[in-house]
Amino acid sequence: MAFELPDLPYAHDALASKGMSQETMEYHHDIHHNAYVVNGNKLIAGTEWEGKSLEDIITGTYDASAVAQNGIFNNASQHWNHTQFWEMMGAGNNDMPSELEAALKESFGTVDAFRDQFSAAGAGQFGSGWCWLVKDADGGLKVTKTENGVNPLCFGQTALLGCDVWEHSYYIDFRNKRPAYLANFLDNLVNWENVASRLG
């Protein structure tokens, strides 16, 4: 069964007052994300990956030794990444649940320390990629960054929060000011209820 572009969990203009414009959402979701879906479906058609789950395709085609990943991986992983990304943001009041706050303090000392590490990872990712809050196999939380479309599934981790630092995610609203985009993401855009629900 072919993969499909999911609807946004909110209107295209729902995050505009929080720093992510309708224009960004139209380009990012309707054009960029859709391209990963369309191209991914073309690449897996007639291969062993046709009919497999997105997660199985990602973990099965990831090559840790490769300088550049293959086309099937790139499109499948970016489809997964963006689907999570839309869900990790929200138009509500975005208060952080107490259980998530406690987990962050246990792993990072303070919530501010987590925020600093997350922002530094995103700002320090050279070129395109993502920064993540992940839960490791041992249950501990940590901040990571990945190049291009690589994601925590490749390392057996659970993605709790991810921020897209490809320029198409922020250039319309923030131009080249990636640190400002990251600060706004954490301050205004994250759906902390969704993040907390991923703790398991």
Side-chain angles (χ1 to χ4, degrees), residues 5-199:
L5 179 71
D7 291 334
L8 288 169
Y10 31 72
H12 283 76
D13 63 353
L15 306 181
S17 66
K18 294 173 172 284
M20 187 168 284
S21 65
Q22 178 174 340
E23 184 180 10
T24 288
M25 297 302 285
E26 288 170 349
Y27 273 98
H28 200 174
H29 174 268
D30 301 358
I31 298 176
H32 288 285
H33 188 176
N34 189 58
Y36 297 129
V37 175
V38 172
N39 292 333
N41 283 330
K42 288 178 181 176
L43 288 168
I44 65 172
T47 73
E48 63 184 293
W49 303 109
E50 189 171 20
K52 297 287 178 60
S53 73
L54 198 54
E55 292 78 7
D56 284 345
I57 294 171
I58 291 167
T59 57
T61 59
Y62 175 66
D63 182 357
S65 66
V67 174
Q69 297 298 317
N70 61 81
I72 290 178
F73 172 85
N74 287 334
N75 285 280
S77 64
Q78 282 289 73
H79 176 31
W80 187 89
N81 293 348
H82 284 83
T83 299
Q84 310 310 308
F85 185 55
W86 310 133
E87 295 174 354
M88 291 167 174
M89 295 187 291
N93 62 18
N94 298 4
D95 291 335
M96 183 179 291
S98 58
E99 67 269 24
L100 176 59
E101 183 177 355
L104 291 173
K105 288 179 177 178
E106 182 177 347
S107 291
F108 299 97
T110 66
V111 174
D112 283 344
F114 151 70
R115 290 168 58 93
D116 289 345
Q117 286 189 38
F118 190 87
S119 295
Q125 171 57 39
F126 181 75
S128 300
W130 295 75
C131 56
W132 305 92
L133 170 67
V134 303
K135 184 171 75 171
D136 254 336
D138 64 5
L141 307 188
K142 71 178 184 182
V143 167
T144 66
K145 60 183 179 179
T146 57
E147 72 279 1
N148 298 319
V150 177
N151 65 46
L153 295 176
C154 303
F155 312 105
Q157 300 163 330
T158 300
L160 304 181
L161 178 66
C163 186
D164 187 349
V165 296
W166 287 60
E167 284 191 339
H168 64 233
S169 189
Y170 61 87
Y171 213 83
I172 290 171
D173 300 315
F174 291 91
R175 295 300 185 256
N176 63 337
K177 297 179 177 64
R178 188 189 285 184
Y181 158 74
L182 286 159
N184 183 71
F185 177 77
L186 290 170
D187 288 343
N188 300 313
L189 292 171
V190 176
N191 178 352
W192 295 110
E193 291 279 356
N194 181 273
V195 178
S197 73
R198 297 167 182 265
L199 284 169

